[in-house]
Amino acid sequence: MIKLSRRKLIATGLAATAGATGFVVASKLAERYGLVPPDSGGIYGPGETLTYAAQRVLTRHSLAREFSPSQVSKTPFANEVDPLGEEFQRLQHGAFADWRLAVDGLVTRPASFSLAELKSFPRRSHITMIQCEEGWSYIAEWTGAPLSHILGLAGVLPKVRYVVYHSIQTDWWESIDMADALHPQTLLAYGMNGGELPIGFGGPLRMRVARQLGYKNVKYITRLTLTDNLKQFGKGLGSASPEGGYAWYAGI
Ligand SMILES: Nc1nc2c(c(=O)[nH]1)N[C@H]1C(S)=C(S)[C@@H](COP(=O)(O)O)O[C@H]1N2
Ligand SMILES: [Mo]
């Protein structure tokens, strides 16, 4: 008897049904395997489900392309952000000594880390490209603490499915699934191109999700919340981006 792996089965099933009977069957398959993104309800729902599920099945363990030091962009482009507010300015004034990253939700040990603590954890760097949905991109070296390490310290309960992350800019929040949260290239970045992470690029702390578009790389991160259900956040679509018309899953 030929034993098909579960992964192969899903991939084969998705590819076949997508062509033949369209999105409906593929969506059902995706749902059965827990591959339904939180913004799957709207007009673009079936398409979003298919993209997400297919990518998840085919690229679950893949790494984003890493570049060589000579390929780092000479003039990286920092996308403009709204004014950062008084609380940010106060923290900046104190050289971010009081900046905290809180970790809460479905964890056994809710925690709060200073930047100094984050910098004392094992660090990882990678030279990768960040791409905005508006078409521009740049290559930089990012340095930070792997998100997986921080989640390990907080103790993730088995039923957790997503990490929600919040910025000091309260309208900027996103979430990723555990495949991206535990991915080795997913960093809480505090360094860029060998120095501190400049404020324009999200300093003192930014989420760096190498396999997704720029907007998932939220700047000025202050809190992580672990959850098994995204419905309770915002409008229930998983993050701020689908509320503004962008896909929750922005894989590249
Ligand atoms: N807090 C916060 N994070 C943010 C944004 C923002 O305006 N505020 N812009 C996002 C968008 S749309 C993109 S493309 C990238 C831009 O990253 P860059 O400034 O390093 O180019 O940051 C993302 N993270
Ligand atoms: Mo963007």
Side-chain angles (χ1 to χ4, degrees), residues 15 17 20 24 31 88 90 95 111-112 122 125 137 140 152 158 173 204 212 216 219 224 229 231 233 235 240-241:
T17 49
V24 180
E31 199 177 328
F88 186 90
R90 187 185 67 76
S112 165
S125 297
S137 64
W173 61 281
Q212 294 206 41
K216 300 294 281 193
K219 307 176 185 188
L224 310 176
N229 181 1
K231 291 277 177 265
F233 299 89
K235 294 183 183 163
S241 35

Short mmCIF file of all heavy atoms in Angstrom, two decimals, residues 15 17 20 24 31 88 90 95 111-112 122 125 137 140 152 158 173 204 212 216 219 224 229 231 233 235 240-241:
data_model
loop_
_atom_site.label_atom_id
_atom_site.label_comp_id
_atom_site.label_asym_id
_atom_site.label_seq_id
_atom_site.Cartn_x
_atom_site.Cartn_y
_atom_site.Cartn_z
N ALA A 15 -4.25 21.23 -5.16
CA ALA A 15 -3.93 21.53 -6.55
C ALA A 15 -5.03 21.01 -7.46
O ALA A 15 -5.51 21.72 -8.36
CB ALA A 15 -2.60 20.90 -6.91
N THR A 17 -8.24 20.15 -6.75
CA THR A 17 -9.56 20.75 -6.60
C THR A 17 -9.57 22.21 -7.04
O THR A 17 -10.58 22.70 -7.52
CB THR A 17 -10.04 20.67 -5.14
OG1 THR A 17 -9.00 21.14 -4.31
CG2 THR A 17 -10.40 19.25 -4.79
N ALA A 20 -10.13 21.94 -10.85
CA ALA A 20 -11.34 21.28 -11.31
C ALA A 20 -12.62 21.93 -10.80
O ALA A 20 -13.39 22.51 -11.58
CB ALA A 20 -11.30 19.81 -10.89
N VAL A 24 -14.41 26.15 -3.80
CA VAL A 24 -15.23 25.64 -2.70
C VAL A 24 -14.62 24.42 -2.04
O VAL A 24 -14.46 24.37 -0.82
CB VAL A 24 -16.67 25.35 -3.18
CG1 VAL A 24 -17.51 24.82 -2.03
CG2 VAL A 24 -17.28 26.63 -3.75
N GLU A 31 -10.05 24.20 5.46
CA GLU A 31 -10.70 24.31 6.76
C GLU A 31 -10.43 23.06 7.60
O GLU A 31 -10.13 23.15 8.78
CB GLU A 31 -12.20 24.49 6.55
CG GLU A 31 -12.89 25.05 7.77
CD GLU A 31 -14.36 25.28 7.52
OE1 GLU A 31 -14.72 25.61 6.37
OE2 GLU A 31 -15.12 25.11 8.46
N PHE A 88 5.91 57.83 23.49
CA PHE A 88 7.12 57.42 22.76
C PHE A 88 8.25 58.41 23.03
O PHE A 88 9.39 58.01 23.30
CB PHE A 88 6.85 57.31 21.26
CG PHE A 88 8.01 56.75 20.48
CD1 PHE A 88 8.13 55.38 20.27
CD2 PHE A 88 9.01 57.57 19.98
CE1 PHE A 88 9.21 54.85 19.58
CE2 PHE A 88 10.10 57.05 19.29
CZ PHE A 88 10.20 55.69 19.09
N ARG A 90 8.71 60.34 25.56
CA ARG A 90 9.21 60.20 26.93
C ARG A 90 10.21 59.03 27.00
O ARG A 90 11.30 59.15 27.57
CB ARG A 90 8.03 59.93 27.88
CG ARG A 90 8.40 59.92 29.35
CD ARG A 90 7.22 59.54 30.25
NE ARG A 90 6.79 58.15 30.08
CZ ARG A 90 7.42 57.10 30.57
NH1 ARG A 90 8.54 57.26 31.26
NH2 ARG A 90 6.96 55.88 30.38
N ALA A 95 16.45 57.18 26.55
CA ALA A 95 17.23 56.21 25.76
C ALA A 95 16.58 54.82 25.76
O ALA A 95 17.25 53.80 25.68
CB ALA A 95 18.67 56.15 26.26
N ALA A 111 5.04 37.66 30.97
CA ALA A 111 6.34 38.27 31.22
C ALA A 111 6.41 39.67 30.64
O ALA A 111 5.53 40.10 29.88
CB ALA A 111 7.44 37.41 30.61
N SER A 112 7.45 40.38 31.03
CA SER A 112 7.70 41.70 30.48
C SER A 112 9.21 41.87 30.42
O SER A 112 9.90 41.68 31.42
CB SER A 112 7.05 42.74 31.40
OG SER A 112 7.54 44.02 31.10
N PRO A 122 19.84 34.90 23.16
CA PRO A 122 20.53 34.51 21.93
C PRO A 122 20.07 35.41 20.79
O PRO A 122 18.89 35.72 20.69
CB PRO A 122 20.06 33.07 21.69
CG PRO A 122 19.62 32.58 23.03
CD PRO A 122 19.14 33.77 23.79
N SER A 125 21.02 37.14 13.21
CA SER A 125 20.99 38.17 12.18
C SER A 125 20.71 37.53 10.84
O SER A 125 21.10 36.38 10.61
CB SER A 125 22.34 38.89 12.09
OG SER A 125 22.62 39.56 13.29
N SER A 137 11.24 48.20 -2.20
CA SER A 137 11.85 47.23 -1.30
C SER A 137 13.29 47.64 -1.00
O SER A 137 13.84 48.50 -1.69
CB SER A 137 11.86 45.85 -1.95
OG SER A 137 12.67 45.87 -3.11
N ALA A 140 18.42 44.67 3.96
CA ALA A 140 19.14 45.12 5.15
C ALA A 140 19.51 43.91 6.01
O ALA A 140 18.93 42.83 5.86
CB ALA A 140 18.30 46.09 5.97
N GLY A 152 9.30 30.69 24.08
CA GLY A 152 9.75 29.60 24.94
C GLY A 152 9.86 30.03 26.39
O GLY A 152 9.47 29.29 27.30
N PRO A 158 -0.46 24.61 24.70
CA PRO A 158 -0.57 23.83 23.46
C PRO A 158 -1.65 24.32 22.50
O PRO A 158 -1.54 24.14 21.30
CB PRO A 158 -0.89 22.42 23.95
CG PRO A 158 -0.49 22.39 25.38
CD PRO A 158 -0.56 23.79 25.90
N TRP A 173 -1.45 46.86 14.55
CA TRP A 173 -1.32 45.56 15.21
C TRP A 173 -1.53 44.49 14.16
O TRP A 173 -2.25 44.69 13.17
CB TRP A 173 -2.32 45.43 16.37
CG TRP A 173 -3.75 45.50 15.95
CD1 TRP A 173 -4.46 46.64 15.67
CD2 TRP A 173 -4.65 44.41 15.74
NE1 TRP A 173 -5.74 46.31 15.29
CE2 TRP A 173 -5.88 44.95 15.33
CE3 TRP A 173 -4.53 43.02 15.87
CZ2 TRP A 173 -6.99 44.15 15.04
CZ3 TRP A 173 -5.64 42.23 15.58
CH2 TRP A 173 -6.85 42.80 15.18
N PRO A 204 12.76 51.36 18.98
CA PRO A 204 13.80 50.41 19.38
C PRO A 204 13.48 48.94 19.10
O PRO A 204 14.38 48.11 19.21
CB PRO A 204 13.89 50.63 20.90
CG PRO A 204 12.50 50.99 21.30
CD PRO A 204 11.97 51.81 20.15
N GLN A 212 6.90 37.56 4.97
CA GLN A 212 5.66 38.28 4.65
C GLN A 212 5.98 39.73 4.29
O GLN A 212 7.06 40.25 4.58
CB GLN A 212 4.68 38.20 5.82
CG GLN A 212 4.18 36.77 6.07
CD GLN A 212 2.82 36.72 6.73
OE1 GLN A 212 1.93 37.49 6.41
NE2 GLN A 212 2.65 35.81 7.67
N LYS A 216 3.41 43.51 7.65
CA LYS A 216 3.39 42.60 8.79
C LYS A 216 4.57 42.88 9.73
O LYS A 216 4.62 42.35 10.83
CB LYS A 216 3.46 41.14 8.32
CG LYS A 216 2.35 40.66 7.41
CD LYS A 216 0.99 40.63 8.05
CE LYS A 216 0.76 39.42 8.93
NZ LYS A 216 -0.70 39.27 9.30
N LYS A 219 6.36 48.15 13.50
CA LYS A 219 7.39 48.90 14.23
C LYS A 219 6.91 49.25 15.64
O LYS A 219 5.72 49.31 15.90
CB LYS A 219 7.69 50.20 13.48
CG LYS A 219 8.04 50.02 12.00
CD LYS A 219 8.21 51.37 11.33
CE LYS A 219 8.44 51.21 9.83
NZ LYS A 219 8.80 52.48 9.19
N LEU A 224 3.04 41.32 23.03
CA LEU A 224 2.67 40.12 22.29
C LEU A 224 1.55 39.45 23.06
O LEU A 224 1.62 39.33 24.29
CB LEU A 224 3.83 39.13 22.23
CG LEU A 224 5.22 39.63 21.79
CD1 LEU A 224 6.23 38.49 21.91
CD2 LEU A 224 5.16 40.14 20.35
N ASN A 229 -7.66 32.24 19.17
CA ASN A 229 -8.83 32.76 18.46
C ASN A 229 -8.66 34.25 18.21
O ASN A 229 -8.49 35.03 19.13
CB ASN A 229 -10.06 32.52 19.35
CG ASN A 229 -11.33 33.00 18.71
OD1 ASN A 229 -11.33 33.51 17.59
ND2 ASN A 229 -12.44 32.86 19.43
N LYS A 231 -10.87 36.21 16.79
CA LYS A 231 -12.16 36.91 16.70
C LYS A 231 -12.30 38.03 17.74
O LYS A 231 -13.00 39.00 17.53
CB LYS A 231 -13.32 35.92 16.88
CG LYS A 231 -13.46 34.94 15.73
CD LYS A 231 -14.27 35.56 14.57
CE LYS A 231 -14.36 34.63 13.38
NZ LYS A 231 -13.31 34.91 12.37
N PHE A 233 -10.13 40.13 18.68
CA PHE A 233 -9.26 41.30 18.48
C PHE A 233 -9.82 42.19 17.36
O PHE A 233 -10.13 41.69 16.28
CB PHE A 233 -7.85 40.85 18.12
CG PHE A 233 -7.19 40.03 19.20
CD1 PHE A 233 -7.35 38.65 19.23
CD2 PHE A 233 -6.44 40.64 20.20
CE1 PHE A 233 -6.75 37.89 20.23
CE2 PHE A 233 -5.85 39.90 21.20
CZ PHE A 233 -6.01 38.52 21.22
N LYS A 235 -11.79 43.99 14.72
CA LYS A 235 -13.03 43.57 14.05
C LYS A 235 -13.07 42.07 13.81
O LYS A 235 -13.91 41.58 13.05
CB LYS A 235 -13.18 44.33 12.73
CG LYS A 235 -13.38 45.83 12.94
CD LYS A 235 -13.61 46.54 11.62
CE LYS A 235 -13.72 48.06 11.86
NZ LYS A 235 -13.53 48.82 10.61
N ALA A 240 -5.00 44.59 11.81
CA ALA A 240 -5.50 45.86 11.30
C ALA A 240 -5.54 45.87 9.77
O ALA A 240 -6.37 46.56 9.18
CB ALA A 240 -4.62 47.01 11.81
N SER A 241 -4.66 45.09 9.11
CA SER A 241 -4.59 45.21 7.65
C SER A 241 -5.86 44.80 6.90
O SER A 241 -6.27 45.53 6.00
CB SER A 241 -3.35 44.51 7.08
OG SER A 241 -3.01 43.37 7.78
#
